[in-house]
Amino acid sequence: MYQLAPNIELLFTEAGDYPERVRAAAAAGFDAVEMWGPTGVDAPAKPKDIPALRAALEETGTQLTAQLAEPRTQFMIPPWDHSEFFRKLDEGVEIARALGCPRIVVGSGTGFGGWKRQVQLDKLIEIYRTAIAQIEGSGVTLVLEPVNVRVDHPGSLLDRTSEAAYVARGVDSPAFGVLYDIYHSAVEGEDMAAELAGAGDLVKYVQLADAPGRGEPGTGELDWEERLGILRASGYDGPIGLEYYPTVESSASVRRIVEAAARA
């Protein structure tokens, strides 16, 4: 069975602040959670109490599977000053290690109309080679997420799984890989089996939501037994982040995907 990790920005919010959401997820039977930015800079929620969050994770034996890099950086947009990204990367790695989190999710930012796409992809490779060198030995893996431009992230440079894989191959490090998000891929109209075959073992994390709508599995049109079967056939056996906007109470919203994961 896949390890499912509810996103505590969106799920179990009924419980209160982040440590209580961890406890609520654990009480609902989950042994893992994920979150967005560790200090709340990129989210509307207040900054997280990291010591309290760590205490909740340790108390419940819950694994934090992923957190986002802060701040969200426009790598390709002038004036091309990436110093804050690299400064905050060290801070993010420090927090990740304190929380026992093995992954930091990174992105591409908006594409720049003044450069060819290939130039921008190659520049992204250079940026993440530098990032990997900076955090070498930390034990933290960076996972690059392509996101859909049709609904949620218009203008994003990376919207194709194949291009994220291209960047990951260029970075060429075991500490760098691809985040495959089933929702974003479906919205972009990708063939899931083909994309996973093309990315191979570069896929180091997976997230999901139903499409259309980005709600819990069962609210959209995706066949979750089929999707998880494709994922299993690709060889991926790592955790899956539940990054969706629930339309019902959190513990009820997870039932369909928990059942499908048990059969995958």
Side-chain angles (χ1 to χ4, degrees):
M1 178 177 175
Y2 279 111
Q3 181 185 47
L4 302 179
N7 187 300
I8 56 172
E9 310 289 345
L10 305 175
L11 294 172
F12 297 102
T13 58
E14 304 94 338
D17 210 345
Y18 295 100
E20 294 310 313
R21 298 177 196 182
V22 171
R23 294 184 177 97
F30 294 96
D31 62 1
V33 295
E34 64 170 23
M35 67 182 188
W36 289 344
T39 63
V41 171
D42 292 326
K46 65 182 181 180
K48 296 176 176 68
D49 183 336
I50 299 301
L53 186 56
R54 178 179 179 176
L57 292 167
E58 292 178 347
E59 169 195 318
T60 59
T62 302
Q63 168 77 56
L64 181 65
T65 58
Q67 67 185 49
L68 294 187
E70 296 175 337
R72 300 209 178 196
T73 303
Q74 295 294 358
F75 294 111
M76 302 303 150
I77 306 299
W80 304 298
D81 180 3
H82 307 149
S83 57
E84 185 66 1
F85 168 77
F86 288 110
R87 185 185 73 79
K88 291 284 286 184
L89 180 61
D90 283 335
E91 181 180 328
V93 166
E94 188 175 320
I95 292 171
R97 295 184 70 181
L99 296 177
C101 179
R103 301 172 192 82
I104 293 179
V105 179
V106 294
S108 66
T110 304
F112 178 46
W115 287 335
K116 290 183 178 180
R117 190 176 187 87
Q118 188 62 52
V119 170
Q120 296 179 71
L121 295 176
D122 289 340
K123 285 186 176 294
L124 205 58
I125 289 172
E126 295 174 10
I127 289 165
Y128 283 124
R129 280 179 177 169
T130 301
I132 287 296
Q134 179 173 310
I135 67 171
E136 184 177 4
S138 68
V140 174
T141 296
L142 302 185
V143 288
L144 178 63
E145 181 180 21
V147 294
N148 81 80
V149 296
R150 298 183 180 183
V151 176
D152 299 279
H153 300 278
S156 177
L157 172 60
L158 271 187
D159 62 340
R160 311 302 298 174
T161 302
S162 59
E163 291 185 338
Y166 170 82
V167 173
R169 288 191 180 94
V171 174
D172 191 22
S173 168
F176 192 89
V178 173
L179 190 171
Y180 180 76
D181 188 304
I182 295 173
Y183 165 77
H184 287 304
S185 183
V187 171
E188 284 296 314
E190 292 185 336
D191 180 314
M192 181 175 174
E195 296 300 332
L196 290 174
D201 60 3
L202 293 170
V203 175
K204 296 184 182 292
Y205 195 55
V206 170
Q207 290 177 323
L208 64 77
D210 215 332
R214 206 170 184 178
E216 68 268 17
T219 57
E221 299 174 356
L222 303 184
D223 181 328
W224 287 99
E225 283 72 16
E226 176 189 36
R227 295 279 166 164
L228 293 184
I230 293 170
L231 187 63
R232 181 68 74 190
S234 77
Y236 181 80
D237 61 359
I240 302 175
L242 308 183
E243 192 190 32
Y244 61 76
Y245 292 85
T247 64
V248 294
E249 188 266 336
S250 294
S251 60
S253 77
V254 301
R255 288 174 187 162
R256 175 72 180 276
I257 193 61
V258 167
E259 291 171 358
R263 294 190 293 268

